[in-house]
Amino acid sequence: MQRDVPRFRDLSDFLRFIESRGQLRRIREKVSVVHEITEIHRRVLEAHGPALLFEQPVRADGNASEMPLLTNLFGTVERIAWGMGITPDRLGELGALMAELRAPRPPHGIRDAFEKIPLARAALATRPRTRPAAPVQDCVAMGPDVDLARLPVQICWPGEPAPLITWPLVITVPPESATADQEENVGVYRMQVLGRDRAIIRWLAHRGGARHHQQWKAIGRDMPVAIVIGADPATILAAVLPLPETLSELRFSGILRGERPDLAPCLTVPLAIPAEAEIVIEGFVSATETAPEGPYGDHTGYYNSVEQFPVMRVTAITSRRQPIYLSTFTGRPPDEPSRIGEALNQLFVPLIRQQFPEVTDCWLPPEACSYRIAIAAIKKRYPGQARRLMLGLWSMLPQFSYTKLLIVVDDDIDIRDWRAVMWAVSTRSDSSRDLVTLTDTPIDYLDFASPKSGLGGKLGIDATTKIPPETDREWGVPLAMDPAVVARVDAMWATLGLSGMPAPVLTCKASSSASAAPRAPQSACASSSCWLMIQTTRFISWFRPRQSVR
């Protein structure tokens, strides 16, 4: 895929680029990592402001850190797209490439074969190269020299018990692969600092790191782990993409970078790490020892309950000579993960369309805690189609299994306009016919509104136009002004003395829906988008590479 921006070999390359675009602000004042950076970050992110490089962060112990702290790196969709090598308007194109990789089709001729050359190049870019040494190992601390307190780790919210590492890329492998051909997983799991060489890793049971840990526990062995803090943007973003378990995040980063990733062996654990990373923490996650984690602020806007999670023992900390500590906070949206989700939403729509061609758009509002509400628009052709889609989406992607409310509308509805969606719900659905309810289904265990931990209900609302035999009544015809009248009023608007009035906020979106039976023409009021997108979600069913590294 052709890049719109230069290649970024490391984090500093990316920072120089965004600074040249006015998207990086250097903070030279001393600012505490205890709450103050969170509050500054929160305000800047809400205003779609720049990335922030705190040059003198004050650690929790009151001492100024020599290591700068970077936050809000991906606080806008524009910077997220740049990190993937493209401009925001091409996110859908990247999603189409991902859909093609998921189910590649054989070429239908010479021209089609040439058009697939970029796809072949993308696949080749997933093969990592191994380097004997790496910049991230210029500085090494082992044994008694290991000290997590030297890092400017944030305490984000009042009442949190200890510093929390919030942007760690956690690399794990299953025990049967911990030799030559590793099958690695890279996930982002927060880490509570317990002491000089101990930390808690918190992961949900369905995540790749937790699955690998269970496999190591089953044979009674501690699990080797490598924690990467700060890397080139493609590697960071690949770690948060909802890739399938059969594709290594480090391999996929090669597609985003446009070149093969460079890896280097760790010093104390049998794992490979990005050679151009900023900081790496090596160690072992105990098969038996756990500790109470939390409470910490989360994307729900609440503090999590205190629960037991496994403890990691640190064996080495390596870094560049002048490393940058990457950090963030999570809280009620907007936060950085919700902005990343806004960009990811544009990536996975082509993947959904591949399985459900009738879907024209899908939206997960960030205000709904990233994935708990989804709205899908379809070209309706037959009765019951909306219900079929609901059941399909709840089953298709892991994160959709956590979606509590799914609204399906016709393709004449702007699903990013809540007023248009509510108009469709209120005029095209009836609670005696159009509600789909499920009980005792998998749900986010962090959702304490559910009656049971990890089990809850789902509600689907069919807000599409009804066709026989869904209804026996004549369906209403939506109001729409004559386009010729709209054009005449537009032409005379400047002469009416109303120039200070806002432009009309409601417009009619022509319907392109086709149905299985004749029905009234559709056109719904839709206005400009008023909802942002979420985070992240795990979704892509992918092709299985030859030796993935998970």
Side-chain angles (χ1 to χ4, degrees):
M1 184 171 181
Q2 183 177 356
R3 294 182 64 87
D4 299 317
V5 296
R7 287 189 174 91
F8 308 116
R9 297 290 172 83
D10 56 26
L11 184 56
S12 293
D13 277 354
F14 189 52
L15 294 187
R16 282 189 289 270
F17 174 79
I18 65 174
E19 189 169 24
S20 71
R21 302 293 183 95
Q23 291 292 310
L24 176 67
R25 183 69 53 83
R26 296 176 182 271
I27 309 295
R28 293 180 169 83
E29 291 81 1
K30 291 183 178 180
V31 181
S32 175
V33 301
V34 181
H35 308 158
E36 291 181 356
I37 288 180
T38 298
E39 181 60 14
I40 294 170
H41 182 184
R42 187 187 65 80
R43 297 184 190 189
V44 172
L45 184 140
E46 191 162 2
H48 296 266
L52 302 172
L53 185 64
F54 293 89
E55 297 184 344
Q56 296 188 80
V58 178
R59 297 192 303 252
D61 61 9
N63 296 316
S65 173
E66 297 179 356
M67 190 180 300
L69 183 150
L70 174 65
T71 193
N72 203 38
L73 181 62
F74 299 118
T76 66
V77 172
E78 185 176 42
R79 292 199 295 274
I80 296 164
W82 287 345
M84 295 180 183
I86 57 177
T87 52
D89 59 294
R90 295 186 62 209
L91 285 168
E93 186 179 332
L94 177 58
L97 172 65
M98 295 165 72
E100 177 71 6
L101 285 171
R102 174 181 179 265
R105 297 165 297 170
H108 299 295
I110 298 296
R111 181 177 179 179
D112 193 24
F114 275 105
E115 289 177 351
K116 291 183 180 292
I117 289 177
L119 181 66
R121 288 176 178 165
L124 291 174
T126 66
R127 298 178 299 136
R129 294 176 297 209
T130 301
R131 292 169 54 171
V136 73
Q137 295 170 338
D138 285 346
C139 301
V140 177
M142 295 186 185
D145 294 329
V146 166
D147 190 359
L148 292 173
R150 294 179 181 173
L151 304 177
V153 185
Q154 282 186 258
I155 298 178
C156 296
W157 297 101
E160 294 182 338
L164 188 72
I165 300 173
T166 54
W167 247 128
L169 310 184
V170 181
I171 301 176
T172 61
V173 296
E176 67 272 13
S177 299
T179 52
D181 296 327
Q182 300 182 12
E183 192 176 292
E184 73 190 4
N185 180 80
V186 185
V188 180
Y189 316 120
R190 73 188 189 200
M191 298 174 58
Q192 176 179 332
V193 176
L194 290 180
R196 178 184 66 81
D197 62 350
R198 295 171 72 247
I200 304 170
I201 298 185
R202 175 189 173 276
W203 42 40
L204 303 183
H206 71 281
R207 301 295 295 274
R211 185 184 70 255
H212 288 168
H213 186 238
Q214 287 297 324
Q215 293 171 346
W216 285 92
K217 283 179 61 176
I219 61 175
R221 295 174 58 190
D222 295 345
M223 179 177 72
V225 64
I227 313 297
V228 176
I229 301 177
D232 66 278
T235 297
I236 298 171
L237 290 169
V240 300
L241 284 172
L243 302 177
E245 296 176 356
T246 56
L247 179 64
S248 161
E249 288 84 358
L250 292 182
R251 281 177 169 263
F252 186 75
S253 72
I255 294 179
L256 298 181
R257 286 167 55 112
E259 62 182 6
R260 296 167 62 185
D262 288 330
L263 305 181
C266 287
L267 302 180
T268 62
V269 294
L271 297 170
I273 52 172
E276 300 285 350
E278 298 292 313
I279 304 165
V280 171
I281 304 171
E282 302 179 12
F284 292 86
V285 180
S286 174
T288 57
E289 183 185 5
T290 63
E293 193 263 5
Y296 285 103
D298 207 352
H299 70 284
T300 60
Y302 297 92
Y303 291 90
N304 292 146
S305 58
V306 177
E307 298 182 61
Q308 297 286 325
F309 283 95
V311 172
M312 172 190 178
R313 175 176 54 85
V314 179
T315 55
I317 300 178
T318 70
S319 72
R320 289 174 169 267
R321 297 190 189 282
Q322 295 180 314
I324 297 171
Y325 179 83
L326 179 63
S327 188
T328 191
F329 78 90
T330 55
R332 181 174 173 177
D335 62 358
E336 208 166 342
S338 72
R339 289 284 162 78
I340 292 174
E342 185 177 352
L344 298 189
N345 202 143
Q346 299 179 56
L347 296 182
F348 74 73
V349 170
L351 298 166
I352 294 177
R353 287 177 180 163
Q354 193 173 60
Q355 185 159 340
F356 302 102
E358 66 267 37
V359 173
T360 60
D361 204 356
C362 188
W363 176 252
L364 296 99
E367 292 84 352
C369 298
S370 300
Y371 46 77
R372 296 186 181 181
I373 295 177
I375 307 158
I378 64 171
K379 290 181 179 290
K380 186 172 179 179
R381 296 182 293 108
Y382 53 85
Q385 190 171 7
R387 288 174 176 253
R388 171 186 174 270
L389 178 68
M390 292 175 196
L391 299 177
L393 287 181
W394 276 325
S395 303
M396 174 187 178
L397 307 174
Q399 263 54 43
F400 269 108
S401 66
Y402 289 169
T403 300
K404 300 199 295 184
L405 173 61
L406 177 54
I407 303 172
V408 182
V409 297
D410 294 295
D411 69 320
D412 63 338
I413 298 298
D414 181 355
I415 62 175
R416 289 164 177 78
D417 180 357
W418 194 239
R419 292 171 296 178
V421 173
M422 287 296 96
W423 179 78
V425 169
S426 63
T427 63
R428 298 182 182 181
S429 67
D430 180 85
S431 57
S432 67
R433 174 195 58 209
D434 297 323
L435 303 185
V436 176
T437 58
L438 303 176
T439 60
D440 290 330
T441 64
I443 208 77
D444 187 352
Y445 94 96
L446 298 175
D447 185 0
F448 47 78
S450 61
K452 303 174 186 176
S453 179
L455 284 179
K458 290 178 174 52
L459 172 64
I461 301 177
D462 178 358
T464 61
T465 296
K466 301 304 177 295
I467 57 180
E470 293 173 327
T471 184
D472 295 327
R473 300 188 61 183
E474 180 180 353
W475 202 258
V477 178
L479 295 173
M481 182 52 67
D482 185 337
V485 174
V486 173
R488 290 200 301 270
V489 172
D490 285 345
M492 70 174 73
W493 190 258
T495 67
L496 300 178
L498 300 173
S499 57
M501 299 290 291
V505 295
L506 294 180
T507 60
C508 290
K509 181 179 177 183
S511 170
S512 58
S513 297
S515 64
R519 63 179 181 184
Q522 300 175 349
S523 77
C525 294
S527 72
S528 60
S529 170
C530 62
W531 278 45
L532 298 173
M533 267 178 230
I534 91 154
Q535 166 190 100
T536 246
T537 49
R538 278 227 161 214
F539 41 69
I540 309 169
S541 249
W542 207 255
F543 72 98
R544 183 176 182 90
R546 262 185 326 225
Q547 294 173 353
S548 91
V549 216
R550 218 188 244 326

